[in-house]
Amino acid sequence: MNDMSNSHATNITLTHRENDQSRTALRISDGLTLFVRYAETGDNGNPDQFHRLHSLREPVPAVADFVSPVYLLTDEQVAKHDELVSKDDRFNVRDYKSIATKIQSECEGDGRVRYPVFVESDADVPYYEMRAGLKRFIREVLEVDPDDAKWLFSGGSSLHVHLPYYMASEDALRRLRRGTKEYNENATVTVDASNFTKKSLVRLPGAEHHDTGIRKAPISPTSSDEKLQARIGKLVGGGVAPKGEGKISYYAGTPEIVRYSLSDESGVIKDVPTPIIEQRDKPVDTGNVELWKRYNRHPFCPYANAGNQRRSVVVAQVKGMPFCRKTTVNGREEWRTYIPTYIHGAVGCDGEYTVWQENAPVQLSKQDYKKWEYEPGDTIVLLGGNSTSSRILELEDSFEREVVVGALLNDSKWFNEGKDGRQEALNQLRSFGYEVGSAGKNGPRREASTNDQGFQPTDAYRLQQRAEEDDVESLGHYERLDVANRLLRVRGWDGADEWFREQYGERYSQEITHKFLRSVAEQYDDLPSPR
């Protein structure tokens, strides 16, 4: 999930399945019983909640149209509830409307509620586009497989997705709601964030839609677009449903259907898998390691060790929204703000701490966070220092990035041409028309083209230009090594491979090129790993 303070609360625990049979699951403690609160549709179309709770062992009431989150009742609460219900005295509760409301509040206060993960959209797009958009949200925000869910047509204008996961805290719910709102800012298929509230009700499969009279009915998550449209068209048009499908008991006759996969014979509730960015340990799945590092690698601090009055320089691509994390500093816990990034190159104030070609978070001070105005995909240069009020520049294109990072490489331990890398990077920024100033406020966007403004390339960059203008074979072996070294650091493995492919054309050999690049990469621990 993408949460934003961080992308998800610690208690949004999304399980990482090792296989289809193995899930990390949350077991119900002894002495707790699972209850829900049902509701029927009122005359105004809104849910009218029953003033009693129902155990999941009980049949679903025939008139029920909606169901609440799951409440874990103590034996004492069950006894008190059943006593008042049996006496038809359920409203005889001080300070509460009914015994149901009182018990709900007590469970919320004690953290004994399990909130369903129910996803809905009524975006004004064709249903096949809505389904694709919901799948994208489920994959990107919840990080689970959308085909594991039960998919239904609401009977109105929306699609409903019931996932077999629950959240175990209000904090998790709040952060998911906030993350959903932020996701919606750039989404064509928006997701209803109001479903992620503590007393949100979910309409049961099989219940009639108040405005249309059409029942909420299942659809396939994997059918073709044409079959999906035809299925919904049939439901809307009043076509004949399979035998029994029109009855609510077909969908909601057992506890397992009321709460999709809520519990198995062992009394297990499946908790929501921990998002990659929330895992403390590096994922076993190598495909998720780089995403994990953007949030969990040791962060780069632009303000540390600034006693020498030098500034740090960070060149990075923004990979997500700012997030907060509690950090222990000198034995004291503090909240700090970070940006998930891909760092092309970064040199600390003291010149000792450097990061090259790594996914990692960059720390933001309060002053820098207040003026943060950048979006994922932007490439920025952050010039930090002792004041903790940095100058932040947004680069215009990859050419500028390569030149600035190439200059900064002079401060690396493995590519030093006897120049001051940070000063060279500042010089290049000035030549491109950026105000590098000292510190304090964000620099302006470049006002004029810089193609005609001179910059001072490194020796390796000059060799690269010569090869591009003449022929790569005009370079000697060690000159090609220098170019490969530079390309691996500035463009990464794929970028370096692509450059040699372009230069050699039909003469290109992947085997020879990869062997050559590997010989360079293996000389240094921090160069991009070969494929």
Side-chain angles (χ1 to χ4, degrees):
M1 288 176 212
N2 276 335
D3 169 353
M4 309 324 75
S5 60
N6 172 4
S7 260
H8 321 286
T10 302
N11 287 331
I12 299 185
T13 44
L14 284 163
T15 315
H16 301 282
R17 282 184 280 176
E18 297 173 3
N19 53 56
D20 288 340
Q21 288 75 40
S22 173
R23 292 179 189 258
T24 300
L26 179 65
R27 296 191 173 275
I28 303 304
S29 302
D30 292 340
L32 296 177
T33 308
L34 307 179
F35 276 73
V36 293
R37 188 175 183 181
Y38 293 105
E40 60 184 332
T41 304
D43 293 337
N44 60 359
N46 294 324
D48 185 5
Q49 295 192 81
F50 303 160
H51 294 291
R52 59 154 296 182
L53 304 177
H54 284 79
S55 165
L56 283 183
R57 299 188 182 95
E58 300 178 70
V60 179
V63 295
D65 295 318
F66 302 88
V67 66
S68 71
V70 180
Y71 299 92
L72 281 57
L73 273 63
T74 63
D75 291 342
E76 182 181 351
Q77 286 175 315
V78 173
K80 183 64 177 177
H81 173 271
D82 290 352
E83 177 189 354
L84 293 180
V85 169
S86 65
K87 295 178 179 178
D88 199 18
D89 201 14
R90 65 197 73 178
F91 301 106
N92 186 18
V93 182
R94 180 181 296 179
D95 299 327
Y96 292 92
K97 191 172 182 179
S98 69
I99 184 60
T101 306
K102 181 177 189 294
I103 290 176
Q104 282 179 298
S105 298
E106 290 174 346
C107 289
E108 289 167 356
D110 292 343
R112 288 183 282 109
V113 189
R114 299 297 175 262
Y115 303 96
V117 180
F118 165 73
V119 182
E120 174 185 8
S121 177
D122 62 356
D124 187 16
V125 297
Y127 287 109
Y128 63 86
E129 289 186 20
M130 189 185 299
R131 181 177 64 178
L134 285 169
K135 285 190 175 187
R136 178 187 172 196
F137 172 84
I138 292 166
R139 288 193 182 101
E140 293 185 6
V141 178
L142 298 177
E143 298 177 9
V144 296
D145 187 349
D147 293 343
D148 283 349
K150 287 195 182 298
W151 289 70
L152 299 105
F153 170 59
S154 69
S157 60
S158 59
L159 297 183
H160 292 183
V161 188
H162 294 254
L163 286 133
Y165 298 109
Y166 287 76
M167 289 172 289
S169 77
E170 287 183 38
D171 281 344
L173 206 60
R174 252 191 315 270
R175 295 189 183 213
L176 178 54
R177 183 167 67 251
R178 186 187 312 157
T180 301
K181 290 178 179 178
E182 294 185 358
Y183 173 88
N184 286 342
E185 291 176 2
N186 298 305
T188 302
V189 177
T190 56
V191 173
D192 188 351
S194 67
N195 287 314
F196 307 125
T197 55
K198 64 181 182 180
K199 282 190 169 69
S200 178
L201 300 176
V202 176
R203 193 150 54 86
L204 290 167
E208 289 187 359
H209 192 282
H210 177 263
D211 295 330
T212 66
I214 301 171
R215 291 187 183 277
K216 180 172 173 176
I219 59 172
S220 169
T222 57
S223 64
S224 68
D225 295 344
E226 293 78 10
K227 286 186 177 180
L228 173 66
Q229 294 293 116
R231 164 68 171 162
I232 293 177
K234 184 176 181 180
L235 293 169
V236 172
V240 179
K243 185 177 180 180
E245 190 173 316
K247 300 178 181 178
I248 194 167
S249 60
Y250 173 82
Y251 307 97
T254 66
E256 289 76 17
I257 298 298
V258 172
R259 286 327 221 166
Y260 170 40
S261 297
L262 172 66
S263 57
D264 61 16
E265 294 85 358
S266 304
V268 171
I269 288 182
K270 297 169 184 175
D271 214 1
V272 184
T274 303
I276 294 296
I277 64 174
E278 288 289 333
Q279 296 180 45
R280 294 190 177 185
D281 298 325
K282 185 183 294 187
V284 175
D285 179 4
T286 56
N288 290 320
V289 170
E290 294 305 315
L291 172 61
W292 178 86
K293 287 166 68 175
R294 291 175 193 169
Y295 295 84
N296 294 286
R297 185 191 182 277
H298 182 72
F300 183 89
C301 178
Y303 324 104
N305 302 318
N308 59 5
Q309 302 305 310
R310 290 293 305 273
R311 285 192 285 174
S312 62
V313 177
V314 183
V315 184
Q317 184 179 48
V318 180
K319 290 295 187 181
M321 304 301 290
F323 66 95
C324 292
R325 181 167 290 158
K326 189 176 289 187
T327 305
T328 301
V329 181
N330 298 324
R332 185 178 63 183
E333 288 190 336
E334 296 179 1
W335 284 98
R336 291 191 170 178
T337 303
Y338 303 94
I339 301 293
T341 71
Y342 179 80
I343 297 178
H344 294 282
V347 180
C349 292
D350 61 1
E352 295 296 322
Y353 183 58
T354 61
V355 178
W356 306 97
Q357 301 289 334
E358 282 276 5
N359 282 293
V362 174
Q363 184 180 335
L364 283 185
S365 65
K366 291 181 180 178
Q367 294 94 321
D368 286 347
Y369 174 69
K370 288 177 182 177
K371 60 190 179 188
W372 185 259
E373 54 185 18
Y374 306 99
E375 299 177 352
D378 291 344
T379 298
I380 57 104
V381 176
L382 189 150
L383 308 176
N386 194 41
S387 71
T388 70
S389 182
S390 307
R391 184 171 289 265
I392 307 175
L393 313 169
E394 181 181 350
L395 298 184
E396 188 166 290
D397 52 36
S398 59
F399 172 76
E400 292 183 350
R401 182 199 72 214
E402 284 195 26
V403 170
V404 175
V405 174
L408 195 60
L409 283 171
N410 282 285
D411 278 349
S412 67
K413 62 184 178 182
W414 25 255
F415 199 79
N416 196 314
E417 296 183 349
K419 299 177 182 178
D420 184 326
R422 281 173 289 170
Q423 189 58 52
E424 288 294 308
L426 295 178
N427 291 342
Q428 299 296 357
L429 288 167
R430 289 190 186 99
S431 77
F432 286 138
Y434 293 104
E435 282 288 338
V436 298
S438 53
K441 61 181 181 179
N442 293 1
R445 303 291 193 274
R446 192 177 63 184
E447 296 179 356
S449 172
T450 61
N451 291 336
D452 58 351
Q453 300 184 37
F455 64 93
Q456 301 170 14
T458 62
D459 290 344
Y461 185 78
R462 290 191 188 94
L463 292 171
Q464 179 183 329
Q465 290 291 96
R466 194 176 91 196
E468 292 170 355
E469 293 170 3
D470 299 333
D471 186 276
V472 68
E473 293 292 352
S474 67
L475 303 183
H477 175 70
Y478 290 104
E479 289 175 327
R480 287 199 297 272
L481 284 175
D482 285 345
V483 172
N485 192 345
R486 179 184 186 279
L487 290 171
L488 284 168
R489 299 190 184 286
V490 175
R491 297 189 183 182
W493 179 273
D494 289 338
D497 179 46
E498 181 182 1
W499 186 86
F500 279 99
R501 183 189 299 270
E502 290 174 354
Q503 304 315 310
Y504 279 100
E506 294 181 357
R507 298 171 293 167
Y508 170 83
S509 165
Q510 185 181 69
E511 181 181 356
I512 294 174
T513 302
H514 284 197
K515 182 177 180 181
F516 175 70
L517 291 176
R518 190 175 289 108
S519 70
V520 178
E522 289 176 350
Q523 293 182 47
Y524 306 98
D525 293 337
D526 48 3
L527 269 176
S529 299
R531 293 182 298 181

